[in-house]
Amino acid sequence: MTLSAKTDHDVIIVGGGPAGSATAIRLADSGLSVMLVEKARFPRQKLCGEFISPECLLHFAELGVADDIRLSGGVDIAETVFYSRNGKGVAVKSEWFGYEGSLALGLSRAEMDDVLLKRASQVGVAVYEETTAAGLIFDSDRVIGVRLKDKDGVETPVTATLVIDATGRTRSLARRLEKDAGRHKRAGHVAFKAHLTGAQIAPSACEIFAYRGGYGGCNNIENGLFNLCFIAAAEDVKRCGSDAERVMREVVCTNKRAAKVLENVAAKSEWLAVPIERYGRGELVPAQGLLTVGDSAAFIDPFTGSGILLALESARIAAAAVAESFAADRDLETLAAEYQLQYSKAFDARLRVCRVLRHAASMPFLADATISVLRASGGLSRRIARATRLAARSA
């Protein structure tokens, strides 16, 4: 099928996070008719490290939101320091991922996502909040739309030439098509996040703490708050009665630096928690007429500080492939092949590097040894840090 068939919209995007909104903005800017649906009402909190690496600022400029992001009150971050259990640390400069003097940014997802969603509406995207995807619409084996359900439970079928799953780790559209979707896969880890006061870290630093079975990170965000986000082994979470505060004290704080940083913290938001069932690549094209972007396409390890970057990069890659295919009236198979090719070039190598580093971070002996080696070699630290980005600078 070519991309010129008559439908309600050219593209329907499900999920209003950074990947969904950025894809929608880019496609609308290219002249396509885009609908974006989001189950929540923004602004809303989201479990995330809330660390925006310097490369993201270039994406924000392209998306027309750079000034609004800066006005949202985020905090500049000059370095990220990784601490082993014994409290020894190795610093990674934010400028290693941008240009000399460039900084990362600590900003809540509530603020960032709201800015991006508003921008999507401004450029002509039909944005529907408090709307969920009740199911996919098929013509034979091809996805041709989505059955949408509003907050009152009213369902409406909407057709499109292309549907994009930007629902994050849940992959709420894509997983319906997976052969093992009905099987419950036990999550090996659980992630937690809350906004705190009282963390004892430098205003311009992000700190990462390694401990048995996981790692956590803390950095400044707007309004004088700190974001704490950590991952723990499911067995440790169960032992702590699934109590986030207990997990923080009994697991995260086995790291000496974390124990000092978090000694007097107080939660100023509710704790959010999600199980983590998978890392790495998912299916980019689960069915003809359906693509995935952001965490729906791949979940990169949070300690790299590049999750938001991956979302924005994958949005750029997907939007370019879609816009070019519409302009040339190519078929869906050609679009899918181009997207998969460009995505693999951008992400496959870095995902492999991150997998190795994840295993090292979660094994105390390896984490301690790795940090000791990196402390002795700033050049090696920089090369490994940049390996978690690889193609990002040329994207």
Side-chain angles (χ1 to χ4, degrees), residues 2-13:
T2 63
L3 299 183
S4 59
K6 178 62 178 175
T7 56
D8 295 325
H9 294 276
D10 294 321
V11 182
I12 297 173
I13 300 172

Side-chain angles (χ1 to χ4, degrees), residues 125-180:
V125 176
V127 176
Y128 291 84
E129 297 176 80
E130 297 180 291
T131 302
T132 59
L136 294 167
I137 302 172
F138 288 88
D139 180 359
S140 187
D141 292 331
R142 179 172 56 85
V143 175
I144 61 168
V146 183
R147 289 186 293 106
L148 300 177
K149 182 184 294 185
D150 66 19
K151 62 181 179 180
D152 297 318
V154 177
E155 285 196 18
T156 304
V158 183
T159 59
T161 304
L162 185 70
V163 176
I164 296 179
D165 184 341
T167 59
R169 289 182 296 270
T170 62
R171 293 169 52 85
S172 65
L173 296 182
R175 74 185 308 161
R176 302 177 192 207
L177 306 177
E178 297 169 355
K179 292 181 180 179
D180 62 348

Side-chain angles (χ1 to χ4, degrees), residues 215 301 303 353-364 366-367:
Y215 53 86
D301 300 87
F303 71 84
V353 171
C354 290
R355 182 172 62 247
V356 173
L357 293 176
R358 179 201 327 134
H359 289 308
S362 62
M363 298 176 66
L366 277 178

